[in-house]
Amino acid sequence: MDLENQKRVLDFSEKHGAENIVVLLGAADGEGAGLAAETCMAGDPTFAGPLTGVSLGLKCYHVCEEEVKSEFDEAVYEEQVSMMEMVLDVDEIAQEMQEIREEYCKF
C-alpha cells in the first residue's frame, strides 16, 4: 500500500473512528492483498509510511470475497470486476485475507 493511501486510511480512521471503516482491496494476488490488509490492521510492516507503528485493526476485505461480492449490485460487479476475477486465484486471496483478519482485526 503506497504512502498516500496509508495517509488516507489513517485520516478516515481518525475522522470517522476505526470501528466505522471497512477497507476494500483489489490486489491481484493473495500476498499483495495480505500485505495491504496487514498494513491497515497492524501497521506498515515496511516501517516507511504513516501507518508505521499504528495498529488500527480495521476490517479489510478483498472485492472478490463472497462476503463482499454479495453486497454489490450484480450488474455493477459484472461490469467492473468479473473479468479480472476470472484470472485471479480467488481461493488463495480469500484464505490470505481470512488469516490476516483472524490475526489482526479488532472489529
Side-chain angles (χ1 to χ4, degrees):
M1 175 175 282
D2 68 26
L3 304 182
E4 188 174 315
N5 283 335
Q6 285 190 39
K7 178 78 170 114
R8 285 184 185 125
V9 168
L10 183 59
D11 290 348
F12 277 120
S13 296
E14 290 172 347
K15 182 177 181 179
H16 301 288
E19 70 278 4
N20 297 312
I21 304 295
V22 175
V23 177
L24 191 59
L25 303 169
D29 62 278
E31 186 176 343
L35 183 59
E38 182 178 346
T39 300
C40 293
M41 291 185 216
D44 184 356
T46 67
F47 301 101
L51 292 178
T52 297
V54 180
S55 178
L56 295 173
L58 300 177
K59 293 175 269 188
C60 295
Y61 293 90
H62 192 278
V63 70
C64 292
E65 286 185 271
E66 285 302 319
E67 300 98 307
V68 174
K69 184 178 175 179
S70 64
E71 297 296 321
F72 286 100
D73 177 278
E74 195 172 309
V76 172
Y77 191 89
E78 179 70 28
E79 179 183 325
Q80 299 294 322
V81 182
S82 65
M83 289 293 285
M84 190 60 169
E85 184 181 33
M86 291 190 301
V87 299
L88 298 177
D89 187 341
V90 175
D91 292 335
E92 175 198 8
I93 292 169
Q95 180 178 350
E96 179 74 15
M97 294 300 294
Q98 182 62 39
E99 289 171 5
I100 297 291
R101 279 193 301 272
E102 287 173 1
E103 187 169 352
Y104 298 113
C105 189
K106 295 179 184 177
F107 305 102

